[in-house]
Amino acid sequence: MSFTCTKLLLTHSQIWHAATIHPFLQQCHLGTIKSEQFNTWLVQDYLFVVEFTRMVGRVLASAPLDHFDVILGGLAALQDELTWFKQKAAQRQLNLDTKKQATCQEYCEYMHSLGTKPYPVQATAFWAMELAYNQGWQLPGEMPVPYNEFANRWGNPGFTEYVKILEQQADEVLQTAAADVQQQAEEAFVKVAKFEHNFWQMAFNAG
Ligand code: MP5
């Protein structure tokens, strides 16, 4: 089997499961998540997305020209997403000028460090981060108000399609990458999966 994103998901299925299936999301689905837990996630995820936007800017700077359209589309969506996060925080009277928790800080530092990695590594990490939210918010099934709006943001069919194209772009460059670059991409995938799990746990602990 050649080196692909699908292979990474199969090889590391257990850790991926932990990244995408978590009591935090299950309790959103059941409507039993505590507002302190949800609000902690919301504020910390806003702080994450600010740094994620910077990361995608660096991914664009490393990408081949024929990958620009998809990445630029992602950046345009992030402009909308940052505005949306600010609206959601304002509705809940949350202060976004908050210190990052250690898990969020570590994840943001890791995203920064990806800027010096070869493009196939960056493309793999970018895809994994988006897939984690796409699957994470989709897998529990229909969510009640107000969580349905959040589930739909990352679980909607258009977002699923976008993540598939990110996978194709990553697969394309992984095929021809040197073995050590493929190895780095695999390490990045595992690291992202662990950070995703830790991020849910961080918010869940706020309860
Ligand atoms: C995403 C996110 C998805 N918002 N938060 C974490 C911890 N991981 C991944 O990124 P985006 O920009 O919201 O699609």
Side-chain angles (χ1 to χ4, degrees), residues 130-152:
E130 296 289 42
L131 183 69
Y133 261 43
N134 180 233
Q135 293 189 340
W137 283 103
Q138 238 171 25
L139 289 172
E142 194 74 26
M143 293 211 185
V145 175
Y147 310 114
N148 58 341
E149 184 183 346
F150 294 82
N152 191 47

Side-chain angles (χ1 to χ4, degrees), residues 41 44-46 48-50 52-53 56 74 77-78 81 84-85 104 107 111 126 128-134 137 153-154 159 162-163 192 195-197 199-200 202:
W41 167 78
Q44 295 293 317
D45 208 51
Y46 167 76
F48 169 89
V49 173
V50 171
F52 180 83
T53 304
V56 179
L78 281 161
E81 182 164 308
W84 176 80
F85 262 109
C104 182
Y107 201 171
M111 287 194 286
F126 179 26
M129 289 172 197
E130 296 289 42
L131 183 69
Y133 261 43
N134 180 233
W137 283 103
R153 170 158 282 274
W154 290 283
F159 194 79
Y162 166 65
V163 177
V192 166
F195 274 127
E196 289 293 333
H197 169 78
F199 208 93
W200 293 126
M202 169 193 73

Side-chain angles (χ1 to χ4, degrees), residues 19-136:
T20 53
I21 297 173
H22 192 277
F24 180 96
L25 292 160
Q26 191 57 27
Q27 293 196 12
C28 289
H29 169 65
L30 296 170
T32 54
I33 195 83
K34 295 195 185 113
S35 60
E36 202 183 334
Q37 293 171 305
F38 194 78
N39 291 343
T40 297
W41 167 78
L42 185 58
V43 172
Q44 295 293 317
D45 208 51
Y46 167 76
L47 299 173
F48 169 89
V49 173
V50 171
E51 296 309 319
F52 180 83
T53 304
R54 294 196 166 109
M55 183 200 80
V56 179
R58 290 186 292 269
V59 175
L60 178 75
S62 305
L65 183 57
D66 64 340
H67 288 192
F68 272 26
D69 280 357
V70 176
I71 302 167
L72 284 168
L75 279 167
L78 281 161
Q79 180 185 21
D80 172 70
E81 182 164 308
L82 288 165
T83 304
W84 176 80
F85 262 109
K86 283 184 250 180
Q87 285 167 356
K88 294 297 117 191
Q91 284 167 6
R92 291 167 174 262
Q93 294 167 323
L94 301 174
N95 181 12
L96 291 175
D97 189 13
T98 298
K99 198 172 177 301
K100 289 188 188 90
Q101 290 197 24
T103 298
C104 182
Q105 178 67 26
E106 283 164 27
Y107 201 171
C108 290
E109 283 169 13
Y110 177 66
M111 287 194 286
H112 197 262
S113 76
L114 282 167
T116 60
K117 304 275 188 218
Y119 177 66
V121 179
Q122 295 186 50
T124 302
F126 179 26
W127 157 74
M129 289 172 197
E130 296 289 42
L131 183 69
Y133 261 43
N134 180 233
Q135 293 189 340

